[in-house]
């Protein structure tokens, strides 16, 4: 940080503290609303991005504004398809592959796929190498389901599922030829991201942007923590680009997880900065 940036940050902090001390909170809130309401729509959106910013749609819009145009969106851990539908709004020309381990999700994902112009659903548990069967822990509600058992008291059942690799699953798509660089790759598999990527070296090599959930606390047995996955991605040519959301422990406010965006270090997006 240069001297000018340091002075500017100090002035901003002083102004915030002064306003907070002199004016009641309700007055500050009213002024903020009035300020935002007086901005043009584009300026208001930019202000919110800079000072609020933890939102997937804004991050995808930023990537689009920087010129990113994926040929394919690969959604690993598709759950109910909401993420794929959101990504499609920003990149309507991309083919979509929604991959989910739980067979119970096939119908709901197919309903989403039917609303998109070029989307396929694959029900398969992904891992580092093909295996006949591994224990897969399905939590109540489904959101914490993983090969790596969740460290919680949430009710669950364990089933045995065969494992395929991400690369093999992509090769088996009807529209496999569409899944080519640059790819937007998203992973949300409750601590199993590294194993999925170890079985998806070709897919990762074709990716320019990777969206991933990282844990700052040990939430699943044997799962790597955020700093380990950042190192893993760095060794494969990716750097941290954005944070789209975070979750804290309800009682203590301790940070538990963050959703992040990685971009390939050789990408123009890794170097797009003014000033």
């Amino acid at each position: 940080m240069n001297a000018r940036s340091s002075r500017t940050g100090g002035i901003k902090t002083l102004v915030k503290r002064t306003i907070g001390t002199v004016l009641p909170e309700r007055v500050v809130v009213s002024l903020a609303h009035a300020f935002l309401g007086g901005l043009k729509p584009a300026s208001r959106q930019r202000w919110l991005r800079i000072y609020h910013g933890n939102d997937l749609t804004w991050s995808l819009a930023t990537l689009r504004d920087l010129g990113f145009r994926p040929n394919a969106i690969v959604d690993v851990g598709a759950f109910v398809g909401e993420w794929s539908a959101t990504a499609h709004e920003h990149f309507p020309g991309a083919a979509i592959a929604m991959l989910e381990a739980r067979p119970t999700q096939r119908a709901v994902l197919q309903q989403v796929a039917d609303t998109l112009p070029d989307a396929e659903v694959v029900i398969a548990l992904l891992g580092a190498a093909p295996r006949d069967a591994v224990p897969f822990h399905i939590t109540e509600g489904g959101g914490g389901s993983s090969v790596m058992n969740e460290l919680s008291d949430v009710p669950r059942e364990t089933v045995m599922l065969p494992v395929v690799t991400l690369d093999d699953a992509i090769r088996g798509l009807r529209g496999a030829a569409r899944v080519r660089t640059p790819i937007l790759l998203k992973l949300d598999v409750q601590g199993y991201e590294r194993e999925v990527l170890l079985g998806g070296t070709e897919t990762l090599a074709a990716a320019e942007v990777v969206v991933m959930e990282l844990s700052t606390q040990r939430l699943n047995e044997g799962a790597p923590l955020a700093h380990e996955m950042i190192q893993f991605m760095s060794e494969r040519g990716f750097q941290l680009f954005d944070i789209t959301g975070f979750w804290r422990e309800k009682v203590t406010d301790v940070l538990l997880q963050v959703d992040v965006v990685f971009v390939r270090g050789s990408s123009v997006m890794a170097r797009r900065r003014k000033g």
Side-chain angles (χ1 to χ4, degrees), residues 60-208:
L60 294 177
T62 297
L63 292 168
R64 184 191 63 217
D65 292 347
L66 292 176
F68 180 53
R69 297 293 184 274
N71 282 313
I73 296 165
V74 177
D75 182 358
V76 178
F79 194 34
V80 295
E82 182 180 6
W83 197 95
S84 286
T86 298
H88 169 75
E89 292 176 3
H90 294 273
F91 307 110
I96 298 175
M98 292 184 281
L99 300 100
E100 169 63 39
R102 292 173 297 146
T104 56
Q105 299 305 109
R106 182 185 297 276
V108 67
L109 287 173
Q110 191 58 55
Q111 287 180 348
V112 175
D114 290 343
T115 69
L116 304 174
D118 192 2
E120 290 186 56
V121 174
V122 176
I123 300 299
L125 177 59
L126 306 179
R131 296 173 64 182
D132 291 337
V134 300
F136 184 75
H137 310 287
I138 303 176
T139 57
E140 187 176 84
S145 302
S146 177
V147 173
M148 294 181 161
N149 209 9
E150 186 175 87
L151 298 172
S152 74
D153 58 1
V154 175
R156 72 205 63 187
E157 65 170 323
T158 300
V159 299
M160 301 300 291
L161 295 177
V163 176
V164 301
T165 67
L166 174 58
D167 285 343
D168 284 343
I170 295 300
R171 281 191 285 267
L173 292 171
R174 294 190 308 274
R178 291 288 310 278
V179 186
R180 62 183 188 277
T181 189
I183 290 173
L184 169 58
L185 173 61
K186 168 260 189 180
L187 302 103
D188 184 359
V189 288
Q190 304 302 309
Y192 211 54
E193 286 82 2
R194 181 167 60 189
E195 299 303 306
V196 172
L197 291 174
L198 288 173
T201 54
E202 295 176 11
T203 306
L204 185 59
E208 189 170 353

Side-chain angles (χ1 to χ4, degrees), residues 17-70:
R17 288 177 178 173
T18 301
I19 291 175
T21 302
V22 174
L23 298 176
E25 183 177 357
R26 66 180 182 276
V27 176
V28 175
V29 171
S30 296
L31 289 172
H33 278 258
F35 165 72
L36 288 174
L39 294 175
K40 294 180 179 179
S43 297
R44 180 165 59 250
Q45 184 181 34
R46 180 168 176 76
W47 191 92
L48 288 170
R49 276 195 197 180
I50 292 172
Y51 290 96
H52 184 266
N54 294 308
D55 187 279
L56 172 64
T57 58
W58 287 340
S59 293
L60 294 177
T62 297
L63 292 168
R64 184 191 63 217
D65 292 347
L66 292 176
F68 180 53
R69 297 293 184 274

